[in-house]
Amino acid sequence: MIMCGIIGCALRDGNAAPLIRKALERLEYRGYDSVGEATIDNSNLVIKKDQGKIADIHKKLDLDDLPGPTGIGHTRWATHGAPSQVNAHPHTDCKEKIAVVHNGIIENFVELREELERKGHKFKSRCDTEVIPHLIEENLNSDTDFIMAVRNTARRLEGTYAIAVLSVEKPDRLICIRKESPLVLGIGEEGNFCASDIPALLPLTRNIIYLNEGELAVLDPEGVELSDLESYTKRIPEIEEISWTVETAERAGYPHFMLKEINEQPETVKNALRTQEVYIDLMSTILDKADQVFLVAAGTAYHACLAGTYMFSELANLNAQAAIASEFKERYGKLIGKNSVILAVSQSGETMDTLSAIRYALDRGATVLGITNVMGSTVTRLTGIYIGQNSGPEIGVASTKAYTAQAMILARLAIKLGEKRKTISSDKVGKLNQTLKDMPSILERILKTQTNRTKDLATKYRDRESFCFLGRGIDYVTALEGRLKLLELAYPPSLAYPAGESKHGFIAVVEDGYPLIFIAPKTSTQNELIGNIMEMKARGGSIISITEEGDQKILALSDDFIEIPKGIPEILTPIPYILPLQLFAYYSALERNRDPDQPRNLAKSVTVK
Ligand code: G6P
């Protein structure tokens, strides 16, 4: 999970709070909607937490002013429960003796919360994390040993977690566990630490231990003990010395945030599948009943919407219009009324054009739904129902991981609606859902096998002044998004065309060596696409194809190619096929001495009309 940052400190003496606060500042890029710290003072838990950025909360509450050498801290990126003081971490049990910080998502928190409430536990927040301290408290009724109570708690948790637990019973100790979410331990001179990632720890120590999947660590100022959560088998810690600078460490060793975010996609598409089934169900019911449906967004999010319209039409017989937010009112304004449904898609949740379209639709009595990556953003406040993408902060200006996550969520909605309307067979539903589940490993494989090839292509074509991206059906959307990535990052004025339309005008541009990027999976229109490739080849164009592994028909026609794993259903191709184009844009930017993280003239979040 790339959201939220946690830190824990067990010092020999002195106060942990100032170190925790500074470490949280270094973790702020992982999330920044709320912050909190807990330490132990004279057998009492003391906590400061609030909604807002660390610097502001520190000014208001003086986060350094918490006594005690042992403590935990958290910077939050809301997933369950809006950003607010009560939802901020650390969370505690009923008696306020146990404090927990958590990064991840507890998928079965509703069931656990109900069970614990039946047993008399009182919850203060709406956050999934709060079940953890209550469950530890509950387990302590039967387990006398605190560590055992944490182990037994972990056994009940479904989802992902990196957790640090503080308890007044053992005031000099921290207990950490992890499943899928990252957690590293630091062995320092002043004491020992745990944190979501290395940048938080670098000024404190360079001696790092990576916690394994399903492992429990007990930390005190003198040392660290590691054991497997299930088998209890002990592991001798292997300490690694880190040579990264703080800056490189923030990017997890990648030279740019964009490359880091491209490589995070196996994880972020997985996050897009987690939880929220009830919202998918609810939204699809609302879409089912609507007279008209508009998918409204800007930039890359608009391309996700465009892909969504193909998905809704193909899988659920739903005629949804994709609307560029800044054109929405002029193009569709008078049509919007009580029976219209607007689904607004925005990574930041703050794009002014998208917000204006939402406000306009609300004024006309329409139902407005949202998909966004930022909980607490204006989109979450204006829309009746919204889905969080769970992609973690996206820092590179050009959107990458947010796009594939949006496409995953739109695909889930279209499949769900298709099931409701009985427009797709249960076999097909099974196959599509299976491909969505397999998507993390499909993307992993593309990144592993095709990154160098894409880099070589960027080198080979580094002097070309223009490109054209072509595809048929939903692959036209991939052509548009591939073109946008290249424009944003490397700036060659380029085109994107529906391949079938290319003979009506565009073909005049093609001459010897003109680079044409064909999105060419094995789909129902592949024969027509081959015809279009031949037309371009006959005019001397250089053919670069993004195609299925071993597809000889396409390979034989291509000057260069990138291969994507076989068997992706046509309607889901936008998700894997965009990856090489993101990489191509990234490496083309480097080849042309452009800064991929901060392209000229662009902004991450455009809050003007
Ligand atoms: C800007 C960014 C794009 C982004 C678009 C929409 O133009 O540079 O990367 O796709 O805004 O942003 P949103 O946050 O609404 O998805």
Side-chain angles (χ1 to χ4, degrees), residues 417-446:
L417 185 57
E419 262 185 288
K420 284 204 169 127
R421 292 187 163 186
K422 302 200 169 33
T423 45
I424 33 174
S425 66
S426 55
D427 263 15
K428 181 122 191 229
V429 170
K431 164 90 178 122
L432 291 168
N433 281 331
Q434 190 54 47
T435 309
L436 292 180
K437 275 206 195 97
D438 294 341
M439 206 54 88
S441 56
I442 295 169
L443 301 193
E444 192 102 55
R445 171 149 166 193
I446 297 171

Short mmCIF file of all heavy atoms in Angstrom, two decimals, residues 417-446:
data_model
loop_
_atom_site.label_atom_id
_atom_site.label_comp_id
_atom_site.label_asym_id
_atom_site.label_seq_id
_atom_site.Cartn_x
_atom_site.Cartn_y
_atom_site.Cartn_z
N LEU A 417 -22.72 -4.16 -13.69
CA LEU A 417 -23.97 -3.75 -14.35
C LEU A 417 -24.39 -4.80 -15.39
O LEU A 417 -25.58 -5.11 -15.51
CB LEU A 417 -23.77 -2.38 -15.00
CG LEU A 417 -25.00 -1.74 -15.63
CD1 LEU A 417 -26.13 -1.59 -14.62
CD2 LEU A 417 -24.66 -0.36 -16.20
N GLY A 418 -23.41 -5.35 -16.09
CA GLY A 418 -23.69 -6.41 -17.07
C GLY A 418 -24.33 -7.61 -16.40
O GLY A 418 -25.26 -8.22 -16.92
N GLU A 419 -23.83 -7.94 -15.20
CA GLU A 419 -24.40 -9.06 -14.45
C GLU A 419 -25.85 -8.76 -14.08
O GLU A 419 -26.73 -9.59 -14.24
CB GLU A 419 -23.61 -9.22 -13.14
CG GLU A 419 -22.56 -10.27 -13.18
CD GLU A 419 -21.92 -10.42 -11.81
OE1 GLU A 419 -21.17 -9.49 -11.40
OE2 GLU A 419 -22.17 -11.44 -11.14
N LYS A 420 -26.08 -7.52 -13.62
CA LYS A 420 -27.43 -7.12 -13.21
C LYS A 420 -28.38 -7.16 -14.39
O LYS A 420 -29.51 -7.58 -14.28
CB LYS A 420 -27.41 -5.70 -12.65
CG LYS A 420 -26.85 -5.63 -11.29
CD LYS A 420 -27.33 -4.41 -10.54
CE LYS A 420 -26.91 -4.59 -9.10
NZ LYS A 420 -26.16 -3.49 -8.57
N ARG A 421 -27.91 -6.66 -15.52
CA ARG A 421 -28.78 -6.57 -16.70
C ARG A 421 -28.81 -7.87 -17.50
O ARG A 421 -29.45 -7.93 -18.53
CB ARG A 421 -28.29 -5.43 -17.60
CG ARG A 421 -28.49 -4.06 -16.98
CD ARG A 421 -28.15 -2.97 -17.98
NE ARG A 421 -28.71 -1.70 -17.54
CZ ARG A 421 -28.69 -0.59 -18.26
NH1 ARG A 421 -28.13 -0.60 -19.47
NH2 ARG A 421 -29.22 0.51 -17.81
N LYS A 422 -28.01 -8.83 -17.04
CA LYS A 422 -27.90 -10.13 -17.74
C LYS A 422 -27.47 -9.95 -19.20
O LYS A 422 -27.96 -10.63 -20.10
CB LYS A 422 -29.22 -10.90 -17.65
CG LYS A 422 -29.66 -11.14 -16.22
CD LYS A 422 -30.64 -12.29 -16.14
CE LYS A 422 -30.92 -12.76 -14.75
NZ LYS A 422 -30.90 -11.81 -13.67
N THR A 423 -26.59 -9.02 -19.42
CA THR A 423 -26.10 -8.80 -20.78
C THR A 423 -24.79 -9.54 -21.03
O THR A 423 -24.27 -9.51 -22.14
CB THR A 423 -25.90 -7.28 -21.04
OG1 THR A 423 -25.25 -6.73 -19.90
CG2 THR A 423 -27.21 -6.58 -21.25
N ILE A 424 -24.22 -10.14 -19.97
CA ILE A 424 -23.05 -11.01 -20.19
C ILE A 424 -23.26 -12.32 -19.46
O ILE A 424 -23.87 -12.36 -18.38
CB ILE A 424 -21.70 -10.40 -19.73
CG1 ILE A 424 -21.86 -9.49 -18.51
CG2 ILE A 424 -20.98 -9.71 -20.86
CD1 ILE A 424 -20.55 -9.00 -17.94
N SER A 425 -22.72 -13.38 -20.05
CA SER A 425 -22.90 -14.70 -19.46
C SER A 425 -22.07 -14.82 -18.19
O SER A 425 -21.09 -14.08 -18.00
CB SER A 425 -22.44 -15.76 -20.47
OG SER A 425 -21.04 -15.62 -20.64
N SER A 426 -22.45 -15.76 -17.34
CA SER A 426 -21.68 -15.92 -16.11
C SER A 426 -20.26 -16.40 -16.42
O SER A 426 -19.31 -16.09 -15.70
CB SER A 426 -22.38 -16.85 -15.13
OG SER A 426 -22.64 -18.06 -15.77
N ASP A 427 -20.11 -17.13 -17.52
CA ASP A 427 -18.77 -17.55 -17.96
C ASP A 427 -17.89 -16.35 -18.23
O ASP A 427 -16.72 -16.28 -17.82
CB ASP A 427 -18.89 -18.30 -19.30
CG ASP A 427 -18.91 -19.78 -19.07
OD1 ASP A 427 -19.11 -20.16 -17.90
OD2 ASP A 427 -18.74 -20.53 -20.06
N LYS A 428 -18.47 -15.41 -18.96
CA LYS A 428 -17.72 -14.21 -19.33
C LYS A 428 -17.40 -13.39 -18.07
O LYS A 428 -16.28 -12.87 -17.93
CB LYS A 428 -18.55 -13.38 -20.33
CG LYS A 428 -17.88 -12.14 -20.80
CD LYS A 428 -17.73 -12.09 -22.30
CE LYS A 428 -16.82 -10.97 -22.71
NZ LYS A 428 -17.33 -10.14 -23.75
N VAL A 429 -18.38 -13.28 -17.16
CA VAL A 429 -18.13 -12.54 -15.92
C VAL A 429 -16.94 -13.18 -15.20
O VAL A 429 -16.03 -12.48 -14.75
CB VAL A 429 -19.39 -12.57 -15.00
CG1 VAL A 429 -19.07 -12.03 -13.62
CG2 VAL A 429 -20.52 -11.79 -15.65
N GLY A 430 -16.95 -14.51 -15.15
CA GLY A 430 -15.87 -15.23 -14.47
C GLY A 430 -14.53 -14.94 -15.12
O GLY A 430 -13.54 -14.64 -14.44
N LYS A 431 -14.49 -14.97 -16.44
CA LYS A 431 -13.23 -14.77 -17.17
C LYS A 431 -12.72 -13.32 -16.95
O LYS A 431 -11.53 -13.10 -16.72
CB LYS A 431 -13.51 -15.05 -18.67
CG LYS A 431 -12.46 -14.54 -19.62
CD LYS A 431 -11.37 -15.60 -19.86
CE LYS A 431 -10.34 -15.14 -20.86
NZ LYS A 431 -9.00 -15.08 -20.46
N LEU A 432 -13.66 -12.37 -17.02
CA LEU A 432 -13.24 -10.97 -16.85
C LEU A 432 -12.74 -10.73 -15.42
O LEU A 432 -11.68 -10.11 -15.23
CB LEU A 432 -14.41 -10.02 -17.14
CG LEU A 432 -14.85 -9.95 -18.60
CD1 LEU A 432 -16.19 -9.24 -18.74
CD2 LEU A 432 -13.80 -9.25 -19.46
N ASN A 433 -13.48 -11.24 -14.44
CA ASN A 433 -13.05 -11.03 -13.05
C ASN A 433 -11.72 -11.71 -12.78
O ASN A 433 -10.87 -11.19 -12.06
CB ASN A 433 -14.11 -11.52 -12.07
CG ASN A 433 -15.24 -10.50 -11.94
OD1 ASN A 433 -15.02 -9.29 -12.11
ND2 ASN A 433 -16.44 -10.97 -11.68
N GLN A 434 -11.53 -12.87 -13.41
CA GLN A 434 -10.25 -13.56 -13.23
C GLN A 434 -9.11 -12.72 -13.82
O GLN A 434 -8.05 -12.59 -13.21
CB GLN A 434 -10.31 -14.96 -13.89
CG GLN A 434 -9.13 -15.84 -13.55
CD GLN A 434 -8.91 -16.00 -12.03
OE1 GLN A 434 -9.84 -16.26 -11.29
NE2 GLN A 434 -7.66 -15.82 -11.58
N THR A 435 -9.35 -12.14 -15.01
CA THR A 435 -8.28 -11.31 -15.60
C THR A 435 -7.99 -10.11 -14.71
O THR A 435 -6.82 -9.72 -14.54
CB THR A 435 -8.66 -10.85 -17.01
OG1 THR A 435 -9.08 -11.98 -17.76
CG2 THR A 435 -7.52 -10.16 -17.73
N LEU A 436 -9.03 -9.51 -14.12
CA LEU A 436 -8.78 -8.37 -13.21
C LEU A 436 -7.92 -8.84 -12.04
O LEU A 436 -6.99 -8.15 -11.62
CB LEU A 436 -10.09 -7.76 -12.70
CG LEU A 436 -10.95 -7.03 -13.74
CD1 LEU A 436 -12.21 -6.47 -13.08
CD2 LEU A 436 -10.18 -5.90 -14.43
N LYS A 437 -8.23 -10.02 -11.52
CA LYS A 437 -7.43 -10.55 -10.40
C LYS A 437 -5.99 -10.83 -10.84
O LYS A 437 -5.06 -10.66 -10.06
CB LYS A 437 -8.03 -11.88 -9.91
CG LYS A 437 -9.13 -11.67 -8.94
CD LYS A 437 -9.25 -12.90 -8.01
CE LYS A 437 -10.58 -12.85 -7.28
NZ LYS A 437 -11.61 -13.67 -7.92
N ASP A 438 -5.83 -11.29 -12.08
CA ASP A 438 -4.48 -11.61 -12.57
C ASP A 438 -3.70 -10.36 -12.99
O ASP A 438 -2.51 -10.44 -13.29
CB ASP A 438 -4.56 -12.53 -13.81
CG ASP A 438 -5.13 -13.89 -13.46
OD1 ASP A 438 -5.11 -14.24 -12.27
OD2 ASP A 438 -5.59 -14.59 -14.38
N MET A 439 -4.39 -9.23 -13.06
CA MET A 439 -3.76 -8.02 -13.61
C MET A 439 -2.43 -7.67 -12.92
O MET A 439 -1.47 -7.32 -13.60
CB MET A 439 -4.75 -6.85 -13.55
CG MET A 439 -4.50 -5.79 -14.59
SD MET A 439 -4.43 -6.39 -16.29
CE MET A 439 -6.14 -6.31 -16.77
N PRO A 440 -2.34 -7.76 -11.56
CA PRO A 440 -1.05 -7.43 -10.95
C PRO A 440 0.11 -8.24 -11.55
O PRO A 440 1.16 -7.68 -11.87
CB PRO A 440 -1.25 -7.76 -9.47
CG PRO A 440 -2.72 -7.65 -9.26
CD PRO A 440 -3.37 -8.06 -10.55
N SER A 441 -0.10 -9.56 -11.74
CA SER A 441 1.02 -10.35 -12.26
C SER A 441 1.24 -10.09 -13.75
O SER A 441 2.37 -10.15 -14.24
CB SER A 441 0.84 -11.83 -11.96
OG SER A 441 -0.38 -12.26 -12.49
N ILE A 442 0.17 -9.76 -14.47
CA ILE A 442 0.34 -9.43 -15.91
C ILE A 442 1.20 -8.15 -16.02
O ILE A 442 2.15 -8.08 -16.80
CB ILE A 442 -1.04 -9.21 -16.57
CG1 ILE A 442 -1.84 -10.52 -16.57
CG2 ILE A 442 -0.90 -8.64 -17.99
CD1 ILE A 442 -3.30 -10.38 -16.95
N LEU A 443 0.87 -7.16 -15.21
CA LEU A 443 1.62 -5.89 -15.27
C LEU A 443 3.07 -6.09 -14.81
O LEU A 443 4.00 -5.53 -15.38
CB LEU A 443 0.93 -4.80 -14.44
CG LEU A 443 -0.51 -4.44 -14.81
CD1 LEU A 443 -0.94 -3.15 -14.12
CD2 LEU A 443 -0.72 -4.29 -16.32
N GLU A 444 3.21 -6.91 -13.79
CA GLU A 444 4.55 -7.23 -13.28
C GLU A 444 5.41 -7.78 -14.42
O GLU A 444 6.56 -7.39 -14.61
CB GLU A 444 4.39 -8.30 -12.20
CG GLU A 444 5.59 -8.57 -11.36
CD GLU A 444 5.44 -7.88 -10.01
OE1 GLU A 444 4.43 -8.11 -9.32
OE2 GLU A 444 6.33 -7.11 -9.72
N ARG A 445 4.82 -8.70 -15.16
CA ARG A 445 5.58 -9.36 -16.23
C ARG A 445 5.94 -8.37 -17.34
O ARG A 445 7.05 -8.41 -17.88
CB ARG A 445 4.71 -10.49 -16.77
CG ARG A 445 5.25 -11.11 -17.99
CD ARG A 445 4.88 -12.53 -18.06
NE ARG A 445 5.12 -13.03 -19.38
CZ ARG A 445 4.66 -14.16 -19.80
NH1 ARG A 445 3.92 -14.89 -18.99
NH2 ARG A 445 4.93 -14.57 -21.01
N ILE A 446 4.99 -7.48 -17.66
CA ILE A 446 5.29 -6.48 -18.70
C ILE A 446 6.47 -5.62 -18.26
O ILE A 446 7.40 -5.37 -19.02
CB ILE A 446 4.05 -5.60 -18.98
CG1 ILE A 446 2.90 -6.46 -19.53
CG2 ILE A 446 4.39 -4.45 -19.94
CD1 ILE A 446 1.57 -5.75 -19.63
#
